[in-house]
Amino acid sequence: MDLKPLPQPEHPNPYAIQGRTFLFDSPWVRLREDRFQHRRGAEGRYVVCGFQRTACGVLAMDEQDRVVLVGQWRYPHEAYSWELPEGGGEVSESPFEAIQRELAEETGLRAQVWEPLCFFHPSNSSTDEETFLFLATGLSPVEAHHPEDDEELLIHREPFRDCLRRVLSGEITDSLTVMALLALQARRSGIDAELDPALAERFFQRPKDHPSRGRARWEILDQP
């Protein structure tokens, strides 16, 4: 049965933008400060973090129903993390092109079958980051690229069910990994839903071909 869209107010955006200031830029993130007036009377400043690259991840499953995990030290959290092969897609890459490259670089694997699994915003209160998750099967070895100078990776295959248990125990915490595992579990539990066709196309399109509203804001900093 088709899902009806969730309700929205007639005029959903309550903010009137008074101005924007560019604060910081790097190859990975950028910051701006927006001055706003809320329709209920409040005035303030909103700092937005923009991601230059597209977040991509792949739930790569082998014939024994094991998940391919990558282990690495995550600097911001001062903790070691087991997670899916993932990375940031360049402006010139579609999410599909980017994650194919990441899977080969990080694990030395390629996949015969790819399909969109899930799309989400990992932190929509402060960033415009978009995340595209794929499911990949039919794995086989491929010549891996050398890791970058700041990467030390371990590779491990873990049964899917045990991965779910590690999510619930708090051992696996990476948001892309958690979302992908729960999305696949939902499918296997009988939850039937398809991605909107326009959204599904974005998994295979380059960012310039589908600029989101959040990203478009960076192109015109002086206008609301």
Side-chain angles (χ1 to χ4, degrees), residues 122-133:
S123 183
N124 62 6
S125 66
S126 57
T127 82
D128 62 10
E129 188 175 25
E130 299 179 321
T131 304
F132 297 82
L133 300 179

Side-chain angles (χ1 to χ4, degrees), residues 16-105:
I17 306 303
Q18 309 300 313
R20 292 188 168 91
T21 303
F22 194 79
L23 301 176
F24 174 77
D25 190 20
S26 80
W28 299 274
V29 298
R30 50 191 174 181
L31 294 175
R32 76 169 193 266
E33 182 182 72
D34 294 358
R35 299 185 303 280
F36 70 84
Q37 182 171 11
H38 195 279
R39 63 183 168 210
R40 297 187 64 182
E43 296 183 353
R45 299 174 183 269
Y46 210 122
V47 175
V48 178
C49 177
F51 279 75
Q52 305 274 28
R53 301 178 181 180
T54 303
C56 308
V58 56
L59 181 52
M61 305 288 298
D62 68 14
E63 294 179 353
Q64 300 177 49
D65 206 40
R66 297 180 302 178
V67 179
V68 178
L69 295 175
V70 176
Q72 60 185 307
W73 182 259
R74 284 304 189 183
Y75 189 92
H77 292 284
E78 289 292 324
Y80 201 80
S81 175
W82 283 101
E83 52 202 54
L84 301 183
E86 55 192 49
E90 302 288 349
V91 175
S92 60
E93 295 179 303
S94 69
F96 180 52
E97 292 169 328
I99 200 56
Q100 283 185 305
R101 172 178 52 78
E102 291 290 344
L103 181 63
E105 289 179 353

Side-chain angles (χ1 to χ4, degrees), residues 136-158:
T137 54
L139 306 180
S140 61
V142 66
E143 182 179 352
H145 297 273
H146 296 291
E148 297 182 11
D149 292 340
D150 61 349
E151 284 187 332
E152 292 184 2
L153 306 178
L154 293 179
I155 309 300
H156 173 69
R157 298 193 185 197
E158 182 78 359

